[in-house]
């Protein structure tokens, strides 16, 4: 094959919020395809908060290998099979796999999952029907123990995880309060996603708004953000409330602890006094739930009961900007990068 493989790589490790100049597109040869592997062409790349952790030598400790400088940024992608040396895959099939930010990758067939392009647009398979959606599904169906009428608080309410978590909570009959970063995004959360209320975290009176929106307290905090959003929710947890610690995106650009007094003694005291239940969420423990998740959440999307929205940035050269948009809240939905036009299916 006479194609060039563009790779979006790291020129240097970002210090704080990444800059576009931290990233660099380089040209590489197409990978060799080994026995049991599949050569794939990428159309859509995911831009998820975990990728920021991969490109930080200090944050990745204990979580994931740090991406070496000059290597393609890691992450899942929507791919099409170009050449298969695995009996389970045929040329032309759509799959998802951890190919990273590049045009072509050769991956073990056993690591790929097939993507049903008739169920939902390809981009949704990186968001609502992908790893973020599964994370939300695990949180709301396995861990939250939320009941109808209870208050569920969801930070990063429009994102890959939050939008599904909020809508699943609404479908359970919960009262759902979201958090986002502009009036326009909050309006969308209420009008399109069915949140009962959505609070703009950039407003100076945010903590007071949390109190007003959750007059009886919070039963479940689906924590995607950390930082000040977490503390505002924590102050309003009800006794016996559940705190699902899914992610702390507010901290991913920090290389040192936040300034100010140590709040951990108050955190621990209130956990004890209110008998709060703190649960860590790690989607990697639940890949076996994917078939049931696809059936249930896929069915909800097909029936129009759950909305999926992606924020699509065009061009592999803009993938770094897409990450900056996602980390700074300029995204509107789950962030993906289109690096080539997929064939019509
Ligand atoms: N534990 C797991 O297995 C697992 C799996 C997937 C994801 N996660 C975590 O889940 C969280 C959401 O992931 P996602 O993929 O759905 O991302 P996302 O919501 O699509 O994108 C990140 C969002 O975080 C919000 N944000 C950024 N800076 C913030 C700040 N300082 N304070 C509050 N919010 C801020 C922004 O939303 P607004 O502008 O709307 O506020 C931004 O759009 C992340 O923390 C991620 O690491 C965990």
């Amino acid at each position: 094959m006479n194609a060039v493989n563009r790779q979006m790589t790291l020129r240097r490790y970002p210090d704080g919020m990444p800059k576009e100049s931290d990233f660099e597109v380089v040209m590489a040869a197409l990978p060799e395809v080994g026995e049991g592997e599949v050569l794939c062409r990428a159309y859509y790349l995911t831009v998820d908060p975990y990728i920021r952790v991969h490109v930080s030598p200090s944050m990745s400790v204990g979580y994931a290998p740090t991406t070496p400088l000059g290597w393609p940024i890691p992450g899942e992608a929507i791919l099409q099979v170009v050449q298969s040396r695995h009996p389970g895959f045929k040329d032309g099939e759509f799959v998802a796999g951890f190919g990273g930010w590049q045009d072509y990758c050769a991956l073990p067939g056993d690591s790929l999952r097939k993507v049903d392009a008739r169920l939902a647009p390809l981009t949704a398979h990186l968001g609502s029907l992908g790893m973020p959606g599964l994370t939300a599904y695990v949180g709301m169906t396995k861990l939250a123990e939320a009941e109808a009428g209870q208050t569920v608080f969801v930070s990063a309410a429009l994102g890959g995880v939050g939008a599904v978590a909020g809508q699943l909570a609404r479908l359970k009959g919960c009262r759902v309060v979201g958090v986002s970063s502009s009036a326009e995004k909050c309006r969308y959360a209420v009008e399109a996603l069915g949140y009962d209320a959505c609070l703009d975290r950039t407003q100076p009176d945010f903590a007071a708004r949390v109190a007003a929106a959750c007059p009886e307290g919070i039963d479940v905090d689906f924590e995607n953000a950390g930082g000040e959003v977490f503390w505002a929710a924590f102050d309003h947890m009800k006794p016996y409330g559940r705190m699902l610690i899914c992610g702390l995106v507010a901290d991913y650009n920090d290389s040192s602890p936040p300034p100010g007094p140590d709040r951990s003694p108050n955190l621990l005291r209130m956990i004890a006094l209110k008998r709060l239940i703190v649960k860590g969420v790690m989607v990697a423990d639940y890949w076996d739930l994917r078939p049931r998740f696809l059936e249930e959440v896929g069915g909800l999307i097909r029936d129009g009961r759950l909305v999926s929205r992606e924020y699509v940035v065009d061009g592999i050269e803009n993938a770094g900007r897409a990450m900056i948009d996602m980390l700074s809240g300029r995204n509107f939905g789950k962030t993906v990068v289109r690096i080539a036009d997929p064939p019509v299916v």
Side-chain angles (χ1 to χ4, degrees):
M1 248 182 105
N2 195 18
V4 170
N5 189 20
R6 296 171 303 164
Q7 299 180 326
M8 180 52 107
T9 66
L10 268 185
R11 184 180 276 148
R12 67 182 77 83
Y13 292 112
D15 181 14
M17 179 64 79
K19 297 183 276 304
E20 285 194 60
S21 56
D22 295 333
F23 302 91
E24 180 176 34
V25 176
V26 301
M27 303 297 164
L30 257 62
E32 298 287 326
V33 196
E35 191 57 40
E37 289 188 337
V38 178
L39 178 68
C40 299
R41 206 254 177 267
Y43 293 108
Y44 293 102
L45 313 177
T46 196
V47 180
D48 285 2
Y50 73 82
I51 299 173
R52 176 64 184 91
V53 179
H54 271 280
V55 300
S56 163
S58 58
M59 290 288 295
S60 59
V61 177
Y63 171 70
T66 309
T67 304
L69 299 181
W71 282 37
I73 310 276
E76 212 179 16
I78 297 295
L79 310 159
Q80 192 173 28
V81 176
V82 175
Q83 183 195 347
S84 176
R85 296 190 64 192
H86 186 286
F89 296 92
K90 294 195 297 281
D91 293 3
E93 278 186 304
F94 284 105
V95 295
F98 281 83
W101 290 7
Q102 56 183 336
D103 285 316
Y104 291 91
C105 56
L107 295 171
D110 294 345
S111 72
L112 298 173
R113 63 183 168 93
K114 295 196 185 193
V115 158
D116 181 356
R118 290 159 310 172
L119 185 58
L122 288 172
T123 49
H125 293 268
L126 292 174
S128 307
L129 290 176
M131 180 280 287
L134 177 59
T135 307
Y137 178 80
V138 163
M140 285 314 304
T141 62
K142 289 273 163 201
L143 304 173
E145 297 174 40
E147 292 170 15
Q150 293 191 331
T151 298
V152 177
F153 190 86
V154 183
S155 42
L158 279 69
V161 177
V164 177
Q167 291 180 89
L168 290 177
R170 185 245 301 152
L171 289 164
K172 268 180 178 278
C174 300
R175 191 167 170 277
V176 197
V177 177
V179 177
S180 190
S181 57
S182 73
E184 191 193 359
K185 287 171 85 171
C186 284
R187 197 162 41 248
Y188 175 83
V190 172
E191 290 174 1
L193 305 181
Y195 280 83
D196 292 280
C198 183
L199 312 173
D200 182 349
R201 64 182 165 87
T202 66
Q203 294 301 307
D205 58 348
F206 174 70
R209 289 179 190 221
V210 175
C214 307
E216 291 172 20
I218 295 169
D219 294 280
V220 175
D221 173 29
F222 199 116
E223 187 58 53
N224 290 316
E228 292 309 314
V229 171
F230 166 77
W231 288 111
F234 181 70
D235 284 345
H236 294 92
M237 290 302 297
K238 261 189 182 167
Y240 304 99
R242 282 79 65 205
M243 293 166 44
L244 307 191
I245 310 301
C246 177
L248 304 171
V249 65
D251 302 334
Y252 292 172
N253 291 314
D254 296 347
S255 46
S256 54
D262 177 5
R263 290 192 257 192
S264 58
N266 183 47
L267 177 87
L268 298 174
R269 193 161 54 89
M270 294 314 290
I271 287 174
L273 290 178
K274 291 190 181 176
R275 291 78 129 189
L276 298 175
I277 298 159
V278 182
K279 299 186 185 183
V281 182
M282 213 26 86
V283 67
D285 292 350
Y286 298 95
W287 295 137
D288 60 317
L289 285 185
R290 198 191 294 275
R292 201 191 324 159
F293 152 72
L294 283 176
E295 198 181 318
E296 288 182 26
V297 175
L300 291 170
I301 290 177
R302 200 180 38 233
D303 298 346
R305 299 175 66 206
L306 193 144
V307 177
S308 177
R309 174 174 176 147
E310 293 81 41
Y311 171 77
V312 183
V313 173
D314 267 312
I316 193 168
E317 67 281 6
N318 294 318
R321 179 169 64 74
M323 184 193 268
I324 298 166
D325 285 355
M326 180 271 295
L327 291 169
S328 55
R330 282 199 291 272
N331 57 332
F332 204 123
K334 194 268 172 286
T335 309
V336 300
V337 178
R338 175 170 44 213
I339 62 168
D341 282 328
V344 178
V345 285

